[in-house]
Amino acid sequence: MDGKRKRVRLSRARKLTCDVIQFALNIPLGAAQATFDLSELAEVRNQIRPKLSWNVIFMKAYSQLGEQWPQLKQRIVTFPWPHLYQHDRNVCQIAIGREEQGENILLFARFESPEKYPLSHLQQRLVYFRDTPINEVRQFRHQLRFAGCPWPLRKLGWWIMSNLWVSKRASYMGTFGMSLSGFGNISFASNHLGPNTTILGVDVVARGGQSRVLLTFDHRVLDGKPVMDIIKDLERNLNGPVLAEMRQIAAAQTQESIPLTQLRRAA
């Protein structure tokens, strides 16, 4: 019986992933890859308990670039004529792998203005999105409810968010995306697909302090030279203000034995 051919309906989560990919295929994407020396950052990270996710560390550093590089908060709008729209804040959207009814699915967690919050807060939010039951996370419930609508309504919804309700687009889709990009010896993809102007791919394992980074970008908004400068500034942020904040966390834990989850907001 199990070996017979059969049609399998797409789950709501799989429809959501298909919608995101279909939307992204209409974006002319470019990609740039670099290797960062984060040996000092990795050493300090190992002193903090529980460990901070590399996604959180990169999120904080990347969102700090928003004031210096307003293009990172811009996106193309095609109606009624092609133009750029600039959001007033950074919103990070991270793809979170979850399991629902035996199926491995992707859902999308949003972080408002990550640069304004300490790493400890961002880590707690990531754990919340990763471990809380799906039906208890409002963002996830809304995504799955939308994905359960008929395709013509979903297509209309995507178009409205992209062209008419542009001011709310960051709240639903983020201004930049993040994705895990490497697992052990498995190599990077050539780019990441998503509805954002930029998508930052982070290697989940920093080998000997060396971490690979892949930045996928909408070529209608950004060109190669600014992208390379953005990547350089990202590395400086990681080894500058973000490293300084992590040293403060490590020092506070050493002196007072304060766990990360109890650190008060410091930024």
Side-chain angles (χ1 to χ4, degrees):
M1 188 69 178
D2 292 339
K4 290 185 178 180
R5 298 176 182 176
K6 59 181 179 180
R7 297 181 185 270
V8 180
R9 293 182 59 130
L10 292 175
S11 66
R12 292 181 301 171
R14 187 51 49 191
K15 289 179 183 177
L16 178 65
T17 301
C18 290
D19 286 356
V20 170
I21 293 174
Q22 184 62 42
F23 186 93
L25 288 175
N26 295 320
I27 300 175
L29 296 174
Q33 183 174 324
T35 301
F36 290 174
D37 182 2
L38 303 179
S39 52
E40 192 171 359
L41 194 70
E43 182 179 346
V44 176
R45 177 176 175 265
N46 287 333
Q47 300 170 16
I48 298 173
R49 292 294 181 272
K51 280 186 179 180
L52 292 166
S53 165
W54 281 112
N55 289 278
V56 164
I57 295 170
F58 272 85
M59 182 201 308
K60 178 73 177 278
Y62 192 74
S63 62
Q64 290 173 339
L65 298 174
E67 292 302 317
Q68 180 182 353
W69 295 98
Q71 300 98 314
L72 298 179
K73 294 184 287 187
Q74 294 175 353
R75 62 177 72 248
I76 285 284
V77 180
T78 59
F79 180 85
W81 54 80
H83 62 280
L84 288 171
Y85 180 90
Q86 183 169 314
H87 293 283
D88 59 356
R89 67 196 187 283
N90 297 301
V91 183
C92 176
Q93 180 172 270
I94 293 186
I96 302 284
R98 298 296 303 265
E99 183 175 324
E100 183 184 42
Q101 298 179 353
E103 179 187 10
N104 294 318
I105 65 174
L106 282 180
L107 294 170
F108 302 92
R110 292 185 304 276
F111 295 75
E112 296 270 348
S113 303
E115 73 281 1
K116 296 181 179 180
Y117 294 93
L119 291 167
S120 55
H121 172 84
L122 298 176
Q123 180 67 30
Q124 291 173 38
R125 291 292 291 168
L126 181 62
V127 171
Y128 168 78
F129 287 123
R130 189 187 64 200
D131 297 341
T132 304
I134 291 174
N135 61 358
E136 296 181 15
V137 180
R138 184 180 181 186
Q139 292 182 21
F140 295 166
R141 290 200 310 270
H142 287 179
Q143 291 169 25
L144 293 175
R145 189 178 301 130
F146 175 74
C149 295
W151 163 239
L153 289 180
R154 301 201 313 274
K155 185 177 181 180
L156 177 62
W158 280 98
W159 188 87
I160 289 174
M161 280 191 291
S162 301
N163 295 285
L164 296 183
W165 207 12
V166 187
S167 62
K168 294 292 185 180
R169 183 169 166 175
S171 299
Y172 289 98
M173 302 165 63
T175 57
F176 71 94
M178 285 192 65
S179 176
L180 299 179
S181 302
F183 297 86
N185 293 322
I186 300 177
S187 61
F188 273 84
S190 58
N191 56 47
H192 291 289
L193 294 176
N196 313 104
T197 297
T198 59
I199 303 175
L200 182 64
V202 179
D203 198 356
V204 294
V205 181
R207 301 167 188 81
Q210 303 297 306
S211 181
R212 294 176 298 170
V213 174
L214 176 69
L215 186 62
T216 304
F217 58 95
D218 186 337
H219 224 317
R220 298 170 298 179
V221 180
L222 285 163
D223 297 318
K225 178 60 168 60
V227 166
M228 296 309 299
D229 291 338
I230 287 168
I231 290 176
K232 292 176 183 177
D233 288 343
L234 173 61
E235 184 174 15
R236 278 194 287 268
N237 275 5
L238 287 164
N239 288 314
V242 172
L243 175 58
E245 181 180 351
M246 291 176 63
R247 282 174 172 161
Q248 290 178 353
I249 295 174
Q253 287 188 338
T254 300
Q255 294 173 9
E256 303 180 29
S257 299
I258 301 176
L260 178 64
T261 53
Q262 295 182 15
L263 283 173
R264 291 187 176 181
R265 187 169 178 169

